[in-house]
Amino acid sequence: LVYSAVVTLVPLGVFIIPSVNPSSWAVLAGLTVWLATYGFYTASSRGRRIALGAIAGVLGVMGAGARGDSAVFVAFAALAAAILSFEKTRSWLKLSLLPLGLIVAGAAFFLSAGQSTGVESVGIAQGATDPASSAAATSAIPDATGGPGLGVGLVVRNLMGLPLLWTGGTGTWGLGWLDTLMPPVVWIIMMGALFAVPFVGLRKMTVRKVLVLALALVGLTAIPLYVLQGYQVRVGDQIQPRYLLPLVIIFVGVAVFGFARDHLGLSRIQTGTLFSGVALANALSLHNTGLGDGGFNLNADIEWSWSRPIQPMTVWFAGSAAIALTLAGLFLMLYPKGERLTAPIEERAPAPGQAA
């Protein structure tokens, strides 16, 4: 939960979650539903199982109801938890009623949503994207056929451009309606973190983990390709990174799943450097959304922010400090005085009713 949130939510997730955009519930569902459902399977007490089941159910329904495409991701989150916790026992079958319910709810929300009518059924933008962002996203994708870019040539071109959608949450795309661009240092830091942490996860692989990661990668590939091909457009048009962000979060979370220690075996210097970089990236991205015309001082020539009672520089400082202090608290949790060890997942005592 900690590492998947830290490396995926800045700047796009942090921008969306406190907003009124329904994608905020989709992002939160991607972060929590699969973990709460897995915890529901493996809980060591009845009280924890009830609490985790309630969290998974409530956030699953809220996430699935937020957007049509999010309903698909909630169903996948439930399936991922079921695969990771699979056991050939009656207890596992009984507990699977919860993820089955989430899958059914996800399917119902998806089929009843306006986004599920036709080829546009998965995560499309309501209107044209920003021309500059679209041009920037497609300029680096060569035309494999030399033709108009339809059919197989369009598929090949979009396949080569898909990483632009996967990494869009790091700030390579503009925020909002793609009109608030991020400084390069933001997406350089966050893209490095996004690739580094899942790479660490390769040290701990199981058949179930590989299966879930493979299914997530198929979803990250097939869903945007389906929409882009339906519209006959390239990466950069119609579909935005925020629609795929919940699935990216799940992918990263599963990639670091199964370690015996909360800090994944990373040293204090490694995690400290990672968290410091994310805090810096968040501060720079938040400052860039101030839209001030006076350079560093956001209080100069205020146009789009309130000037009283709280000025933009105060908001920037408070927001930057809040994330930095949160990361500091997480660091202390991961590295308390004296090593806090947790049993590897495969060595934990089975929950009541489960086979050892």
Side-chain angles (χ1 to χ4, degrees):
L1 175 63
V2 171
Y3 283 94
S4 62
V6 167
V7 305
T8 61
L9 294 185
V10 175
L12 182 59
V14 174
F15 179 83
I16 290 176
I17 288 175
S19 74
V20 296
N21 193 302
S23 293
S24 60
W25 299 114
V27 172
L28 288 172
L31 189 65
T32 57
V33 170
W34 79 273
L35 280 168
T37 305
Y38 178 83
F40 171 79
Y41 273 111
T42 60
S44 57
S45 67
R46 183 180 181 87
R48 289 187 177 187
R49 176 163 291 148
I50 292 174
L52 289 166
I55 292 172
V58 171
L59 286 176
V61 171
M62 293 177 73
R67 295 185 48 82
D69 50 296
S70 177
V72 177
F73 300 147
V74 167
F76 176 79
L79 176 63
I83 293 174
L84 292 172
S85 61
F86 174 74
E87 289 182 347
K88 295 181 180 180
T89 63
R90 290 185 178 180
S91 176
W92 183 88
L93 288 175
K94 291 179 181 179
L95 295 174
S96 295
L97 290 176
L98 174 65
L100 178 61
L102 289 174
I103 292 173
V104 172
F109 276 113
F110 175 74
L111 294 175
S112 62
Q115 292 167 297
S116 62
T117 55
V119 73
E120 307 90 343
S121 58
V122 185
I124 60 171
Q126 302 301 315
T129 59
D130 175 65
S133 298
S134 177
T138 57
S139 61
I141 309 173
D143 189 341
T145 62
L150 303 179
V152 176
L154 179 61
V155 172
V156 173
R157 181 159 42 191
N158 283 332
L159 272 173
M160 292 188 289
L162 278 181
L164 287 170
L165 291 173
W166 300 342
T167 61
T170 64
T172 55
W173 290 50
L175 303 182
W177 199 238
L178 308 180
D179 54 359
T180 305
L181 302 180
M182 294 290 99
V185 67
V186 171
W187 53 261
I188 288 174
I189 292 174
M190 295 310 304
M191 194 180 297
L194 181 64
F195 283 101
V197 169
F199 188 76
V200 171
L202 296 179
R203 291 168 24 210
K204 180 70 176 178
M205 300 298 290
T206 64
V207 174
R208 297 177 190 180
K209 184 174 174 179
V210 170
L211 176 59
V212 175
L213 289 176
L215 291 174
L217 189 58
V218 168
L220 286 169
T221 303
I223 292 174
L225 279 182
Y226 176 72
V227 177
L228 293 169
Q229 194 68 16
Y231 275 106
Q232 292 292 287
V233 295
R234 306 181 192 180
V235 170
D237 289 325
Q238 301 301 334
I239 187 168
Q240 299 178 21
R242 64 188 175 98
Y243 302 124
L244 295 178
L245 183 58
L247 191 53
V248 172
I249 294 172
I250 295 174
F251 180 90
V252 174
V254 174
V256 296
F257 170 84
F259 281 80
R261 300 178 181 179
D262 295 337
H263 51 62
L264 312 181
L266 298 176
S267 70
R268 286 177 170 82
I269 293 179
Q270 288 175 309
T271 298
T273 301
L274 172 67
F275 284 12
S276 298
V278 173
L280 174 62
N282 175 74
L284 293 175
S285 62
L286 185 58
H287 186 274
N288 210 59
T289 59
L291 299 177
D293 296 327
F296 177 77
N297 185 9
L298 299 176
N299 294 339
D301 300 324
I302 298 174
E303 295 183 47
W304 296 99
S305 301
W306 291 326
S307 59
R308 295 182 181 85
I310 302 176
Q311 295 183 318
M313 285 297 288
T314 304
V315 174
W316 170 71
F317 179 80
S320 301
I323 293 295
L325 290 172
T326 298
L327 291 169
L330 291 174
F331 182 87
L332 294 176
M333 183 193 74
L334 294 173
Y335 301 95
K337 290 184 177 180
E339 189 76 352
R340 180 165 69 96
L341 299 177
T342 56
I345 286 176
E346 62 271 19
E347 296 177 9
R348 289 178 186 167
Q354 289 184 320

